[in-house]
Amino acid sequence: MAGEKVLIVEDELHALMGLAELVSGWGYRTETARDGAEALDKVMAWQPGIIVTDMKMPRMDGIELLNRLGELPDKQCVILLTAQGSIDRAVEAMKLGAYDFIQKPVDPTRLKMILANASRQRETELELDFTRRRLRERGVLGSLVGSSRKMQDIFALIERVAPSNVSVLITGESGTGKEVVARTLHELSTRKPKPFVAVNCAAIPETLIEAEIFGYEKGAFTGAIERSPGCFELAEEGTLLLDEIGEMPVGTQAKLLRVIEEKRLRRLGAKIEKSTNVRVLAATNKDPREAVDDGHLRADLFYRLNVFNIHMPPLREHKEDIPAILEAILADMNEKHERAVTGVDKEMLARLMSHDWPGNVRELRNTIERAVILCGEGQLESRHLPPGFGERVLRPSADDAASANSVQVEVGATVDEAERLLILKTLESTRNNKTRAAEILGISLKTLHNKLKEYGSASFASAESIEERV
Ligand SMILES: Nc1ncnc2c1ncn2[C@@H]1O[C@H](COP(=O)(O)OP(=O)(O)OP(=O)(O)O)[C@@H](O)[C@H]1O
Ligand SMILES: [Mg+2]
């Protein structure tokens, strides 16, 4: 970019002047500073896009400068000048977010190339920023849609915490978009090019969860035939989402806390620890404070994860977003199923707006997916809604023991419907203890989990329609 501002930081005056002259000669605007502290002042006052800085300087060195720059809202491309033999520190600096480094004595051709790349990178970032702002004004942030006050507040919070490394606890009912929030936090951070790994603590049997999260060495336990990395290692330099954190065994929670605090990890059966650099996010659809009170969630882990809390509102509390979310879902579904649905008619929209959405956006998504498949093209109409849609959800009352502990299925129901009903009833009887329910049902926890995901809350409608026939 012509006229990009470059700040040059170097304690040795002669080298500083030489560099400034060189860089100005290439068409950049330049300013100079003699150490990190002076550089910080200049950054605030002059707002350069690129900083070329020496590593070893009095008062504040290059690493410290990088750290301090990381705390500022505006991001710069930092290029480090390193003395020979200090590659280790340069690599450490890259991990802290430096853009690139170049060895001294500076090779002008190489510096020119790095500056050109950095300048191009700045340009795309600024464009992205601009597009993001435009989209945001239209109610879109990543894959999240919503212009309501509630969603806009969430967007602002996400944008504020995304660039930092703090842990975030994402709460909210099932299907409200907690995982989408986690992905968005990752995508708006510098960790974006690195992996985003989501692990569902409720879908892994207790005996395997530590192996899954921390990894294991060959022979660490019966069945450990090969060494295997855990989620932490898979997410190295990226983001790890621990979903349904309250379902993680308390003993594992203690280990997890240690890994987060010490940023060191030991695979099961391993002798040595390794350092880890992972941003940890967690999600739960239960009230975390209640989970702490009833002993499902360790208080110390809760405080560690809850540095920031993002609470997703249930869809019924921001119904004004339904039309926009609907539009996004329609576009998705048309593509996924190769359909050409153009919208929904008035009557259907009215029914969507008056529904209570116990399964939140996931239920909306499932409802629309079904309708799109049925309809194919043109406008969706009420007849494309599932039978019993929007009617009161029937739940067995406490004094109705028979219906609480049994399912009755009439001939005419499909096997899928019967299965769904049985699964939901079993879960109810285990008070939502999925491990126990899977045992009773004779299916794996993973299968149970997949089924529940598949149902979303569209299951309420079907479960209810069967119950009504009973
Ligand atoms: N605001 C939103 N805009 C667009 N799509 C959304 C929004 N919120 C959720 N979705 C969609 O709804 C579905 C459910 O979202 P997600 O899986 O993130 O929910 P969740 O809160 O993690 O649920 P659970 O507690 O059951 O895991 C996804 O398909 C997601 O793409
Ligand atoms: Mg989820």
PDB file of all heavy atoms in Angstrom, residues 130-145:
ATOM      1  N   PHE A 130     -13.452  -3.989   7.098  1.00  0.00           N
ATOM      2  CA  PHE A 130     -14.485  -3.168   6.499  1.00  0.00           C
ATOM      3  C   PHE A 130     -15.712  -4.016   6.160  1.00  0.00           C
ATOM      4  O   PHE A 130     -16.841  -3.684   6.521  1.00  0.00           O
ATOM      5  CB  PHE A 130     -13.927  -2.491   5.241  1.00  0.00           C
ATOM      6  CG  PHE A 130     -14.902  -1.590   4.553  1.00  0.00           C
ATOM      7  CD1 PHE A 130     -15.275  -0.392   5.141  1.00  0.00           C
ATOM      8  CD2 PHE A 130     -15.445  -1.958   3.335  1.00  0.00           C
ATOM      9  CE1 PHE A 130     -16.183   0.434   4.509  1.00  0.00           C
ATOM     10  CE2 PHE A 130     -16.358  -1.132   2.704  1.00  0.00           C
ATOM     11  CZ  PHE A 130     -16.729   0.062   3.280  1.00  0.00           C
ATOM     12  N   THR A 131     -15.456  -5.167   5.505  1.00  0.00           N
ATOM     13  CA  THR A 131     -16.568  -6.059   5.143  1.00  0.00           C
ATOM     14  C   THR A 131     -17.275  -6.527   6.403  1.00  0.00           C
ATOM     15  O   THR A 131     -18.495  -6.584   6.447  1.00  0.00           O
ATOM     16  CB  THR A 131     -16.043  -7.335   4.430  1.00  0.00           C
ATOM     17  OG1 THR A 131     -14.839  -7.014   3.785  1.00  0.00           O
ATOM     18  CG2 THR A 131     -17.045  -7.866   3.454  1.00  0.00           C
ATOM     19  N   ARG A 132     -16.457  -6.868   7.421  1.00  0.00           N
ATOM     20  CA  ARG A 132     -17.065  -7.360   8.649  1.00  0.00           C
ATOM     21  C   ARG A 132     -17.985  -6.296   9.256  1.00  0.00           C
ATOM     22  O   ARG A 132     -19.079  -6.586   9.714  1.00  0.00           O
ATOM     23  CB  ARG A 132     -15.979  -7.755   9.637  1.00  0.00           C
ATOM     24  CG  ARG A 132     -16.509  -8.645  10.740  1.00  0.00           C
ATOM     25  CD  ARG A 132     -15.541  -8.800  11.859  1.00  0.00           C
ATOM     26  NE  ARG A 132     -14.290  -9.390  11.440  1.00  0.00           N
ATOM     27  CZ  ARG A 132     -13.144  -9.206  12.085  1.00  0.00           C
ATOM     28  NH1 ARG A 132     -13.093  -8.462  13.151  1.00  0.00           N
ATOM     29  NH2 ARG A 132     -12.049  -9.772  11.661  1.00  0.00           N
ATOM     30  N   ARG A 133     -17.503  -5.045   9.217  1.00  0.00           N
ATOM     31  CA  ARG A 133     -18.312  -3.968   9.794  1.00  0.00           C
ATOM     32  C   ARG A 133     -19.623  -3.795   9.016  1.00  0.00           C
ATOM     33  O   ARG A 133     -20.683  -3.623   9.590  1.00  0.00           O
ATOM     34  CB  ARG A 133     -17.510  -2.665   9.819  1.00  0.00           C
ATOM     35  CG  ARG A 133     -17.626  -1.972  11.173  1.00  0.00           C
ATOM     36  CD  ARG A 133     -16.731  -0.757  11.249  1.00  0.00           C
ATOM     37  NE  ARG A 133     -15.376  -1.065  10.824  1.00  0.00           N
ATOM     38  CZ  ARG A 133     -14.661  -0.295   9.994  1.00  0.00           C
ATOM     39  NH1 ARG A 133     -15.146   0.810   9.522  1.00  0.00           N
ATOM     40  NH2 ARG A 133     -13.439  -0.651   9.642  1.00  0.00           N
ATOM     41  N   ARG A 134     -19.475  -3.859   7.672  1.00  0.00           N
ATOM     42  CA  ARG A 134     -20.682  -3.713   6.826  1.00  0.00           C
ATOM     43  C   ARG A 134     -21.678  -4.830   7.132  1.00  0.00           C
ATOM     44  O   ARG A 134     -22.870  -4.593   7.291  1.00  0.00           O
ATOM     45  CB  ARG A 134     -20.302  -3.795   5.345  1.00  0.00           C
ATOM     46  CG  ARG A 134     -19.519  -2.622   4.847  1.00  0.00           C
ATOM     47  CD  ARG A 134     -20.388  -1.625   4.083  1.00  0.00           C
ATOM     48  NE  ARG A 134     -21.367  -2.251   3.202  1.00  0.00           N
ATOM     49  CZ  ARG A 134     -21.174  -2.485   1.904  1.00  0.00           C
ATOM     50  NH1 ARG A 134     -20.036  -2.150   1.347  1.00  0.00           N
ATOM     51  NH2 ARG A 134     -22.120  -3.019   1.185  1.00  0.00           N
ATOM     52  N   LEU A 135     -21.163  -6.057   7.211  1.00  0.00           N
ATOM     53  CA  LEU A 135     -22.033  -7.203   7.486  1.00  0.00           C
ATOM     54  C   LEU A 135     -22.677  -7.060   8.862  1.00  0.00           C
ATOM     55  O   LEU A 135     -23.852  -7.335   9.050  1.00  0.00           O
ATOM     56  CB  LEU A 135     -21.238  -8.506   7.438  1.00  0.00           C
ATOM     57  CG  LEU A 135     -20.969  -9.060   6.052  1.00  0.00           C
ATOM     58  CD1 LEU A 135     -19.962 -10.196   6.117  1.00  0.00           C
ATOM     59  CD2 LEU A 135     -22.271  -9.571   5.431  1.00  0.00           C
ATOM     60  N   ARG A 136     -21.840  -6.622   9.812  1.00  0.00           N
ATOM     61  CA  ARG A 136     -22.301  -6.476  11.185  1.00  0.00           C
ATOM     62  C   ARG A 136     -23.483  -5.521  11.236  1.00  0.00           C
ATOM     63  O   ARG A 136     -24.468  -5.753  11.934  1.00  0.00           O
ATOM     64  CB  ARG A 136     -21.136  -5.965  12.018  1.00  0.00           C
ATOM     65  CG  ARG A 136     -21.491  -5.509  13.371  1.00  0.00           C
ATOM     66  CD  ARG A 136     -21.081  -6.555  14.383  1.00  0.00           C
ATOM     67  NE  ARG A 136     -20.469  -5.931  15.536  1.00  0.00           N
ATOM     68  CZ  ARG A 136     -21.145  -5.224  16.421  1.00  0.00           C
ATOM     69  NH1 ARG A 136     -22.428  -5.063  16.263  1.00  0.00           N
ATOM     70  NH2 ARG A 136     -20.522  -4.689  17.443  1.00  0.00           N
ATOM     71  N   GLU A 137     -23.389  -4.434  10.450  1.00  0.00           N
ATOM     72  CA  GLU A 137     -24.497  -3.480  10.407  1.00  0.00           C
ATOM     73  C   GLU A 137     -25.756  -4.138   9.857  1.00  0.00           C
ATOM     74  O   GLU A 137     -26.869  -3.737  10.170  1.00  0.00           O
ATOM     75  CB  GLU A 137     -24.125  -2.271   9.532  1.00  0.00           C
ATOM     76  CG  GLU A 137     -23.251  -1.274  10.272  1.00  0.00           C
ATOM     77  CD  GLU A 137     -22.446  -0.390   9.343  1.00  0.00           C
ATOM     78  OE1 GLU A 137     -22.791  -0.338   8.134  1.00  0.00           O
ATOM     79  OE2 GLU A 137     -21.480   0.238   9.812  1.00  0.00           O
ATOM     80  N   ARG A 138     -25.547  -5.147   9.025  1.00  0.00           N
ATOM     81  CA  ARG A 138     -26.716  -5.851   8.483  1.00  0.00           C
ATOM     82  C   ARG A 138     -27.090  -7.070   9.329  1.00  0.00           C
ATOM     83  O   ARG A 138     -27.888  -7.899   8.922  1.00  0.00           O
ATOM     84  CB  ARG A 138     -26.438  -6.271   7.036  1.00  0.00           C
ATOM     85  CG  ARG A 138     -26.282  -5.065   6.131  1.00  0.00           C
ATOM     86  CD  ARG A 138     -25.957  -5.486   4.723  1.00  0.00           C
ATOM     87  NE  ARG A 138     -26.831  -6.555   4.267  1.00  0.00           N
ATOM     88  CZ  ARG A 138     -26.505  -7.426   3.321  1.00  0.00           C
ATOM     89  NH1 ARG A 138     -25.315  -7.366   2.758  1.00  0.00           N
ATOM     90  NH2 ARG A 138     -27.342  -8.348   2.937  1.00  0.00           N
ATOM     91  N   GLY A 139     -26.474  -7.174  10.519  1.00  0.00           N
ATOM     92  CA  GLY A 139     -26.877  -8.236  11.445  1.00  0.00           C
ATOM     93  C   GLY A 139     -26.212  -9.578  11.210  1.00  0.00           C
ATOM     94  O   GLY A 139     -26.812 -10.612  11.458  1.00  0.00           O
ATOM     95  N   VAL A 140     -24.977  -9.567  10.724  1.00  0.00           N
ATOM     96  CA  VAL A 140     -24.273 -10.831  10.510  1.00  0.00           C
ATOM     97  C   VAL A 140     -22.895 -10.771  11.151  1.00  0.00           C
ATOM     98  O   VAL A 140     -22.142  -9.821  10.946  1.00  0.00           O
ATOM     99  CB  VAL A 140     -24.102 -11.122   8.995  1.00  0.00           C
ATOM    100  CG1 VAL A 140     -23.360 -12.440   8.794  1.00  0.00           C
ATOM    101  CG2 VAL A 140     -25.441 -11.161   8.289  1.00  0.00           C
ATOM    102  N   LEU A 141     -22.554 -11.767  11.949  1.00  0.00           N
ATOM    103  CA  LEU A 141     -21.206 -11.885  12.481  1.00  0.00           C
ATOM    104  C   LEU A 141     -20.800 -13.344  12.348  1.00  0.00           C
ATOM    105  O   LEU A 141     -21.363 -14.211  13.003  1.00  0.00           O
ATOM    106  CB  LEU A 141     -21.151 -11.453  13.951  1.00  0.00           C
ATOM    107  CG  LEU A 141     -19.760 -11.478  14.576  1.00  0.00           C
ATOM    108  CD1 LEU A 141     -18.879 -10.360  14.062  1.00  0.00           C
ATOM    109  CD2 LEU A 141     -19.849 -11.394  16.093  1.00  0.00           C
ATOM    110  N   GLY A 142     -19.844 -13.624  11.479  1.00  0.00           N
ATOM    111  CA  GLY A 142     -19.484 -15.024  11.204  1.00  0.00           C
ATOM    112  C   GLY A 142     -20.729 -15.748  10.703  1.00  0.00           C
ATOM    113  O   GLY A 142     -21.392 -15.298   9.775  1.00  0.00           O
ATOM    114  N   SER A 143     -21.071 -16.850  11.374  1.00  0.00           N
ATOM    115  CA  SER A 143     -22.276 -17.588  10.974  1.00  0.00           C
ATOM    116  C   SER A 143     -23.475 -17.191  11.819  1.00  0.00           C
ATOM    117  O   SER A 143     -24.527 -17.818  11.754  1.00  0.00           O
ATOM    118  CB  SER A 143     -22.062 -19.085  11.135  1.00  0.00           C
ATOM    119  OG  SER A 143     -20.886 -19.475  10.514  1.00  0.00           O
ATOM    120  N   LEU A 144     -23.280 -16.171  12.655  1.00  0.00           N
ATOM    121  CA  LEU A 144     -24.385 -15.751  13.518  1.00  0.00           C
ATOM    122  C   LEU A 144     -25.198 -14.662  12.839  1.00  0.00           C
ATOM    123  O   LEU A 144     -24.638 -13.753  12.235  1.00  0.00           O
ATOM    124  CB  LEU A 144     -23.841 -15.197  14.832  1.00  0.00           C
ATOM    125  CG  LEU A 144     -23.294 -16.209  15.825  1.00  0.00           C
ATOM    126  CD1 LEU A 144     -22.515 -15.479  16.907  1.00  0.00           C
ATOM    127  CD2 LEU A 144     -24.428 -17.005  16.446  1.00  0.00           C
ATOM    128  N   VAL A 145     -26.499 -14.771  12.959  1.00  0.00           N
ATOM    129  CA  VAL A 145     -27.382 -13.784  12.362  1.00  0.00           C
ATOM    130  C   VAL A 145     -28.257 -13.189  13.448  1.00  0.00           C
ATOM    131  O   VAL A 145     -28.736 -13.921  14.307  1.00  0.00           O
ATOM    132  CB  VAL A 145     -28.280 -14.462  11.300  1.00  0.00           C
ATOM    133  CG1 VAL A 145     -29.250 -13.455  10.694  1.00  0.00           C
ATOM    134  CG2 VAL A 145     -27.427 -15.099  10.213  1.00  0.00           C
TER     135      VAL A 145
END
